[in-house]
Amino acid sequence: MSAEAAAAPAAAKTGGWEPKIVAFCCNWCSYGGADSAGMGRFQQPASTRIIRVMCSGRIDPLHVFNAFLEGADAVLVTGCHIGDCHYVNGNDKTKIKYKYLENVARELGIEKERLQLNWISASEGEKFANFIRDVTAQIKKLGPSPLKPEGVA
Amino acid sequence: MSDIKGTENKGAVAKDNEEKRVGVFVCECGVNIGGVVNTKAVADYIGTLPGVKVTSVNKFTCSDSGQADIQQKIKEHNLNRVVVAACSPKTHEPTFRACIEQMGLNQYFLEFVNIRDHCSWIHMWEKEKATEKAKDLIRMGVERSKLLEPLQASEVPVTDKALVIGAGVAGMQSALDLADMGFQVYLVEKEPSIGGRMARFDKVFPTNDCSICILGPKMVEVARNKNIKIMSYSEVKAVEGYVGNFNVKVEHKPRYLDVAKCTGCAKCSEVCPVEVPYDFNEGFGTRKAIYVPFPQAVPLRAVLDKENCISCKACAKACQSGAINYDMQTSYTDINVGVIVGAVGFKTYDPEPRHDFGYGLYDNVITAMEFERLLNAAGPTGGHVVRPSDCKEPIRVGFVNCVGSRDKATNIYCSGVCCMVTIKNAQLLKEKRPETDHTIMYIDIRTPFRGYEESYNRSRALGVKFLRGRPVEVKEDPVTKNIKVRVEDTLANEIRNLEFDLIVLATGIVPHEGINQIQQLLKLSKAADGLLMEAHPKLKPVDTTIDGVFLAGVASGPKDIPYAVSQGSACAGRATILLKNKKAITEGITAVVNPEVCVGCQVCIPMCPFQAIKMDETPYLNTGIKKANVVKALCKGCGTCVTACPTGALEQSHFKNNQLLAQIKNVFKFQEVAA
Amino acid sequence: MSDTIYSTICPGCNFGCGLYIRENRALDVDFRKSSPANAGKLCRFGMSLPRFYKPIKSMVDGKETSIEDAAKEAAKRISAGKGSTAFLSFGNTTCEELLALRKASESYLCTGVNFEGLPKDTYQTLSVGIPYSEIENAKHIVLFIDPYEQYPLIVRRLISAKNKGAKITAVWWKDLALATENIRPEDVSKLQFTKDSLIIADFHPFSDVEQVKSVLSLAKNAGAKVTFLKPFANSTGAYIMSKDAKQKSLAQLVDDINKGTIKTLFCLESNPLELIPSEALGKLTNLIVQTGQAPDTKANIVIAHEPLYKKKGTLINNEGRAQALGGAGTNGLDALGIVAGTKFDFNSLHESVKKALGVAAIDEFTIPKYERPAYGAIQAAPKQPEAKTALVSVFNPFMWSNLSDDNDFVELSLNTVRALKLLKGGMLMIKSNGSAIEKRFKVAPVPDNVLLSCRKFGIEKGTITPVEISR
Amino acid sequence: MQKSEMYVGWSTKEDVRKRGGSGGLVTSMLAAALEKKLVDAVVVLKKINEFEAVPIITSDVNEVLNSAGSLHSVPSNFAKLIANRNLKVALPAKGCDVRGIIEQGKRNAINLDNTFIVGLNCGGSMHPVVTREMLEVMYKLKPEDVHGEEIEKGKLIFETKDGKEHAITIDELEEKGYGRRESCRYCTIKVPNNSDIACGNWGVTGDLVGKATFVEINSEKGAKLLQNAIDAGYVQVQKPDEKGIAMRAKIKGVMEDLGKKWKGKVFVPIDNGRLEYFRKELEHCIDCGACKAVCPTCSCGDVSKCTEYHFRGDAYKMSMYHLVRFLHLADACIGCGQCSDVCPVDIPLTRLYRRFANPVQEQLKYEPGMDMRKPPYFEVKLNE
């Protein structure tokens, strides 16, 4: 058992508000990364809901906006490392779309922690888990998203 | 113009009026899930969702009894959507797709929810939160499942001919196997002769066989095979189409002589007055402007190097068969094939630009490949290893391993074969001239396969010295032209100053310049190391992401000869599945255009790395607008075009916007009233 | 190749928004930025006009025919009916056509301006509103409407007033974003009106008479200004052109159809289904519809004249501003002539319109002078919904013209959502008088006992319908 | 004749010279293009009254010769008008119109090879309703009495039917909220060098002032258009004098600097409460979709991502429609101001779009509608 896993029961007891984070994962890398995190039993806060797409290039800004409007406290865009795309260069295109998304989020005054991009390979289970842990901690500090509709959790 | 959203909305999904009857099957995966998630509570909650007709909890849903339960409930409740909440879809999606297909449901009516890898395994000590999360995940899946649409994988016919690009040992093997299975094979080689790199090796490890002696017969076999059409001195210039139906344009460079008339007698070479460095011998020695590539070349025909030709026409006079034709033009052949095997090879790392270990600065620093030609009886020195500065036979030879490999400054990967090459080379010289003294400077010695370690042991027994350490300073003695090396012996933990007559660099394997062109022509992926990507590093090592295109040999990563040959055979085997069945099943998940909505703006076209989107040739109905169209056989279903499409006319089946949005929306729920 | 462009007016309500209709392959709306009523701005209905102007063909008993033959057949049936014909037009057409209709139908006319149950001295106040510039300059505005849904172009006038410091009180079922104060209709008695107050209400065929009286009385008692917005493009013109005509009220008409004294109904540019219960319509021997865009009723005779945007003529908006339609078409008048057995001359009718307005020329930039007579004291007793839960229907241009809109949902409070344990993205079951429907819902700032809807679901009984709701 | 050459020219037809502004060169050039079948149709403004003209597509030479000429109070929008109509067309266009047309060209809705764009120098346009009010309030004039208008030396001059001129500085007018539309104030495309041929009165000197047009040829098509008009005998040109060229450059410079200054004034950074700012500005939105329908860079039809996934029944804190448009317009917005003009609830949409577009366009060094560079959003990989 890893050190993180051993530490988890203590973290679980602290409880409190659990943010809801929507993570978009590509089928070939980051979704596999999340699977690897499971296989390695890398414990994570129960904050994240994963939406699987075939390629990170399919992560439409439309979906990211919708996640925020529906009440996401953070949205994560993840995919294969640049150069490793299963579809030649899908993640290069993801990078461009993300640049635009980031701009809209920044101009809207959405904190940068609430929208994050990360490249995670299928073998990087621990990286995936660490990422979720870090983001969750950051969001807990920030509190609920200002875009969250009333009465929704 | 119209308001923001009128109801006569052409884009709206045609209302599917069929009542959605969802069955949800929650797997406990032994205690993997059941030990953390309260599966009963989850099933009870999910059972209250609209459309859910039945829920079921199984110890192992993937077991025969679990699958039988699904099939029985489909029948009992007349289900038309099935949600399985279990492990990762990567593990068992195919299992359950087959399971529901047996019951007459379209296999894409399955929604697979991952509550093990993404839930129970990562929230082992937060049982309540894990249970809540499982409810959310399954609710997301249930709502998505209601919007799933039936998909049919489509079939395309396969032309029963193959193209093999690259006639190295891997490509030849592939061509031979395919030909022996009865298929017509075009074997395209850019050099004037087939044979590839292996033809240039002197001996091959670990058996130290003569390389050309074992390769030569294979080359002849290729030439003799009726089903193989060799296109030497030719390159693939264009590839269009898709699996089963590739249209390929092959360019034939002019040899300036009639291949049918040339006998390979080399009389022309004898009279040619022009001498140029001989590339086959790694630049050692010379060849003529008209020459036969090497004695065992296939086809055994001369080739005229027009760049260096002085047009003295001596060769034309000398040629008894009148084969010389100075006016020959580049010609092209269009071929249609069903599959393509890419065995495009590699080159060795060039230490010249960086002057690694003084290469290019000091005469007596050479590469292993150059050393190989010097050792070769047919080489420039007739098999005498001499050092370039004074043509004297060296006594003290230093070998440096991992040049251009395992080095952040050049390539981080291990080239795999260089340890053995060095060991073999030292052995060969030592055996020839026992008085020589060999020192191999290495980082690690890697001898993983049959006979390799034995070969290493033999070297040691012969007295070859192994020094673990990388030279930190390499200097030439200006008088003797000997090479002085300062190296840390990391085993003895001391700095040593050595002097060698000759230094041989074991240069690594790198992609050759043509690989980019091949990558673009075949629309393949390239990894960060610059080599081509296979479809799956473990399970599909010779497939690519492009259906009908396979990779053999070093183009997809460093390999030794047996590995490359196996891959050649493997490609032939994989390709035969398509060639023999005469049909290919294409991806069911593809992009689809709604022509009612498409405005023909064409922004999607460059988005597709597979060139699967074409514009219609004629305007759609009476709109006057030519719409985009997805060629299903080319589409790999990544969906990047769908993201770029500003109108939403492009959709990715099985990952449609409304399906993904249904998932997103159901991440959340109304907060319950505090009691 | 030349585009045909019509400078025209939106038929969505009585606001009088100017726009261009451009005819090329399809219809397009263009923005007429110099329009004095609204600077070329259009609401979602205005933007939907290409859908509204559905082409139509003249028909007799389901068979296609020419407009002349349809009109001739109508004349034949009307004369055969011997005085059992009623003529109905609710102000969706030009003043000129209304004058012609009036002439064609001295026997039984209904233009909706014989306001049943309301004192005659309030008619002018109900019919002619105040200039929009006065709204922008008001100090206190009290809204009895949902401006966003019902009369969207008034929103910018209200915002302008607010920016100038006006207080805006919404007496409505939902909190309105532009209001500085939101109160519910049942609490209207708590509200303080002054002579600086401007009351904005609306008045349409389904208005609750007691509610209208109550508004009139509130204004009267406080000395406040009141203006009524209306749903039909020429509602104001209909009043001005026919106020002195002998005519029947809508209720009377329905009554007479039910009694059987009216057997033939002639509708000019008015959707009868919208105004008359379908049971009553079923009793008619002949339903004759003369219109410019496809109706949703099965009429015995359809006289298809040009759509409004192609017509020549005058419309009067809620401010009383007379605006000329930019078309040249008069085939509606010609057909009316055939029906009436006469010939109508546009020019002489147009002169009569100008005379009625007291102007020398139709100038959209100048509002004619209108008298605003005071009216006497009014007793009003508006009823509040008694039901536990009420479905409140908010009438809007889409509803009046039966055009579908992106509003297939009801609004309800978060408390109701929680009490009923509704699922996000799920459905609400609404039951009324034995019929039940399932609808999507939206959480909105409405009272817990109210469902608000801008679409007709077919279970409504007027503006307020008692319902039962569940998951 | 070729790219970057400059001329001063005028119409040979007296009636056109009289009616059109600045010697009627543009009108005659368009008429000649139609007459000589260089194009199948021409877009002209059909004058309705002094403050109103409506753009029409016509193949009738007479209609072209009788067209309205230049009007400052007609914020026209030609790109959408000719999109998807497969026309061989010539049209006059302000800087923003040209940008719109080029953006439509990139999206394959206009074939630029078949489109001859006559660029018009533009210091800004005015909203007709604002102009009327301004005449009454600032100039104390009856709009009906006004006969013509002109901008000269920073003043907006109205000529009344009695022949008198009435001038007020634009600065003063804009101080009071009148004058040019907001987007025109911070626009910096004053001479449309993105068009085929840029025309205007800046740089016309001496006796020719008011009687000729200064043109700069920006493309082969522009050269063809002018040469065609000369060959057809519709137009005469001469080389401009050095003074004129310098003067034109100076005016251009001054106007552009003014635009930049306004940009700084309008787009004051918002440090806190940006979300609230946008929510407040959008709170009255009635979902009419006019801003999209009028947008000259949008080539979508009725159905598009912004509308399709926007449902009025969603109780969101922000509009899905606007969020998608903010994103899609981040590289596409040309700041033409059309959306603000038509918004029925007076949302300053252009200002909102520019808030997102300014940083993206600066960062990517992308100016939409100024050249044929593909919108970065549709690139496969950005060169960074």
Side-chain angles (χ1 to χ4, degrees), chain B residues 322-341:
Chain B
I324 312 289
N325 172 6
Y326 295 108
D327 301 324
M328 203 171 222
Q329 298 291 317
T330 303
S331 63
Y332 296 91
T333 308
D334 291 316
I335 57 176
N336 180 265
V337 295
V339 296
I340 298 176
V341 175

CSV table of all heavy atoms in Angstrom, one decimal, chain B residues 322-341:
chain,number,residue,atom,x,y,z
B,322,GLY,N,23.3,-2.7,-75.4
B,322,GLY,CA,22.7,-1.5,-75.8
B,322,GLY,C,21.6,-1.0,-74.8
B,322,GLY,O,20.6,-0.5,-75.2
B,323,ALA,N,21.9,-1.2,-73.6
B,323,ALA,CA,20.8,-0.9,-72.6
B,323,ALA,C,20.8,0.5,-72.2
B,323,ALA,O,19.8,1.1,-71.7
B,323,ALA,CB,21.1,-1.8,-71.3
B,324,ILE,N,21.9,1.2,-72.4
B,324,ILE,CA,22.0,2.6,-71.9
B,324,ILE,C,21.0,3.6,-72.6
B,324,ILE,O,20.9,3.5,-73.8
B,324,ILE,CB,23.4,3.2,-72.0
B,324,ILE,CG1,24.5,2.2,-71.5
B,324,ILE,CG2,23.6,4.5,-71.3
B,324,ILE,CD1,24.5,2.0,-70.0
B,325,ASN,N,20.3,4.3,-71.8
B,325,ASN,CA,19.4,5.3,-72.4
B,325,ASN,C,19.5,6.6,-71.6
B,325,ASN,O,18.9,6.7,-70.5
B,325,ASN,CB,18.0,4.7,-72.4
B,325,ASN,CG,16.9,5.7,-72.8
B,325,ASN,OD1,17.3,6.9,-73.2
B,325,ASN,ND2,15.7,5.3,-72.7
B,326,TYR,N,20.2,7.6,-72.1
B,326,TYR,CA,20.4,8.8,-71.4
B,326,TYR,C,19.2,9.7,-71.2
B,326,TYR,O,19.1,10.6,-70.4
B,326,TYR,CB,21.6,9.6,-72.0
B,326,TYR,CG,22.9,8.9,-72.0
B,326,TYR,CD1,23.5,8.4,-73.1
B,326,TYR,CD2,23.6,8.8,-70.7
B,326,TYR,CE1,24.7,7.7,-73.1
B,326,TYR,CE2,24.8,8.1,-70.7
B,326,TYR,CZ,25.3,7.6,-71.9
B,326,TYR,OH,26.5,7.0,-71.8
B,327,ASP,N,18.2,9.4,-72.1
B,327,ASP,CA,17.0,10.2,-72.0
B,327,ASP,C,15.8,9.7,-71.2
B,327,ASP,O,14.7,10.2,-71.2
B,327,ASP,CB,16.4,10.4,-73.5
B,327,ASP,CG,17.5,11.0,-74.4
B,327,ASP,OD1,18.2,11.9,-73.8
B,327,ASP,OD2,17.6,10.6,-75.5
B,328,MET,N,16.1,8.7,-70.4
B,328,MET,CA,15.1,8.1,-69.6
B,328,MET,C,14.5,9.1,-68.7
B,328,MET,O,15.2,10.0,-68.1
B,328,MET,CB,15.7,6.9,-68.8
B,328,MET,CG,14.7,5.9,-68.4
B,328,MET,SD,15.6,4.5,-67.7
B,328,MET,CE,14.7,3.2,-68.4
B,329,GLN,N,13.1,9.0,-68.5
B,329,GLN,CA,12.4,10.0,-67.7
B,329,GLN,C,11.9,9.3,-66.4
B,329,GLN,O,11.7,8.0,-66.4
B,329,GLN,CB,11.2,10.6,-68.4
B,329,GLN,CG,11.6,11.4,-69.7
B,329,GLN,CD,12.3,12.7,-69.3
B,329,GLN,OE1,11.9,13.4,-68.4
B,329,GLN,NE2,13.3,13.0,-70.1
B,330,THR,N,11.5,10.1,-65.5
B,330,THR,CA,10.8,9.5,-64.3
B,330,THR,C,9.5,9.0,-64.8
B,330,THR,O,8.8,9.6,-65.5
B,330,THR,CB,10.6,10.6,-63.3
B,330,THR,OG1,11.8,11.2,-62.9
B,330,THR,CG2,9.9,10.1,-62.0
B,331,SER,N,9.1,7.8,-64.3
B,331,SER,CA,7.8,7.2,-64.7
B,331,SER,C,7.0,6.9,-63.5
B,331,SER,O,7.6,6.8,-62.4
B,331,SER,CB,8.0,6.0,-65.6
B,331,SER,OG,8.7,5.0,-64.9
B,332,TYR,N,5.8,6.6,-63.7
B,332,TYR,CA,4.9,6.4,-62.6
B,332,TYR,C,4.0,5.2,-62.8
B,332,TYR,O,3.7,4.9,-64.0
B,332,TYR,CB,3.9,7.6,-62.3
B,332,TYR,CG,4.7,8.8,-61.9
B,332,TYR,CD1,5.1,9.7,-62.9
B,332,TYR,CD2,5.0,9.1,-60.6
B,332,TYR,CE1,5.9,10.9,-62.5
B,332,TYR,CE2,5.7,10.2,-60.2
B,332,TYR,CZ,6.1,11.1,-61.1
B,332,TYR,OH,6.8,12.2,-60.8
B,333,THR,N,3.7,4.5,-61.8
B,333,THR,CA,2.7,3.4,-61.9
B,333,THR,C,1.6,3.6,-60.9
B,333,THR,O,1.9,3.9,-59.7
B,333,THR,CB,3.4,2.0,-61.6
B,333,THR,OG1,4.5,1.9,-62.4
B,333,THR,CG2,2.4,0.9,-61.9
B,334,ASP,N,0.4,3.5,-61.3
B,334,ASP,CA,-0.7,3.5,-60.3
B,334,ASP,C,-1.1,2.1,-60.0
B,334,ASP,O,-1.4,1.3,-60.8
B,334,ASP,CB,-1.9,4.3,-60.9
B,334,ASP,CG,-1.6,5.7,-61.1
B,334,ASP,OD1,-1.0,6.3,-60.1
B,334,ASP,OD2,-1.9,6.3,-62.2
B,335,ILE,N,-1.1,1.8,-58.7
B,335,ILE,CA,-1.6,0.5,-58.3
B,335,ILE,C,-2.7,0.6,-57.3
B,335,ILE,O,-2.9,1.6,-56.6
B,335,ILE,CB,-0.4,-0.3,-57.7
B,335,ILE,CG1,0.2,0.4,-56.5
B,335,ILE,CG2,0.6,-0.6,-58.8
B,335,ILE,CD1,1.3,-0.4,-55.8
B,336,ASN,N,-3.5,-0.5,-57.3
B,336,ASN,CA,-4.6,-0.5,-56.3
B,336,ASN,C,-4.4,-1.7,-55.4
B,336,ASN,O,-4.2,-2.8,-55.9
B,336,ASN,CB,-5.9,-0.7,-57.1
B,336,ASN,CG,-7.1,-0.7,-56.2
B,336,ASN,OD1,-7.5,-1.8,-55.8
B,336,ASN,ND2,-7.6,0.4,-55.7
B,337,VAL,N,-4.3,-1.5,-54.1
B,337,VAL,CA,-4.1,-2.6,-53.2
B,337,VAL,C,-5.1,-2.5,-52.0
B,337,VAL,O,-5.7,-1.5,-51.8
B,337,VAL,CB,-2.6,-2.5,-52.6
B,337,VAL,CG1,-1.6,-2.7,-53.7
B,337,VAL,CG2,-2.4,-1.2,-51.9
B,338,GLY,N,-5.2,-3.6,-51.4
B,338,GLY,CA,-6.1,-3.7,-50.2
B,338,GLY,C,-5.4,-3.4,-48.9
B,338,GLY,O,-6.1,-2.9,-48.0
B,339,VAL,N,-4.1,-3.7,-48.8
B,339,VAL,CA,-3.4,-3.5,-47.6
B,339,VAL,C,-2.0,-3.0,-47.9
B,339,VAL,O,-1.5,-3.1,-49.0
B,339,VAL,CB,-3.3,-4.8,-46.8
B,339,VAL,CG1,-4.6,-5.4,-46.3
B,339,VAL,CG2,-2.5,-5.8,-47.6
B,340,ILE,N,-1.5,-2.3,-46.9
B,340,ILE,CA,-0.1,-1.8,-47.0
B,340,ILE,C,0.7,-2.2,-45.8
B,340,ILE,O,0.3,-2.1,-44.7
B,340,ILE,CB,-0.2,-0.2,-47.1
B,340,ILE,CG1,-1.0,0.2,-48.4
B,340,ILE,CG2,1.2,0.3,-47.2
B,340,ILE,CD1,-1.2,1.7,-48.5
B,341,VAL,N,1.9,-2.7,-46.1
B,341,VAL,CA,2.8,-3.0,-45.0
B,341,VAL,C,4.0,-2.0,-45.2
B,341,VAL,O,4.6,-1.9,-46.2
B,341,VAL,CB,3.4,-4.4,-45.1
B,341,VAL,CG1,4.5,-4.7,-44.0
B,341,VAL,CG2,2.3,-5.4,-45.0
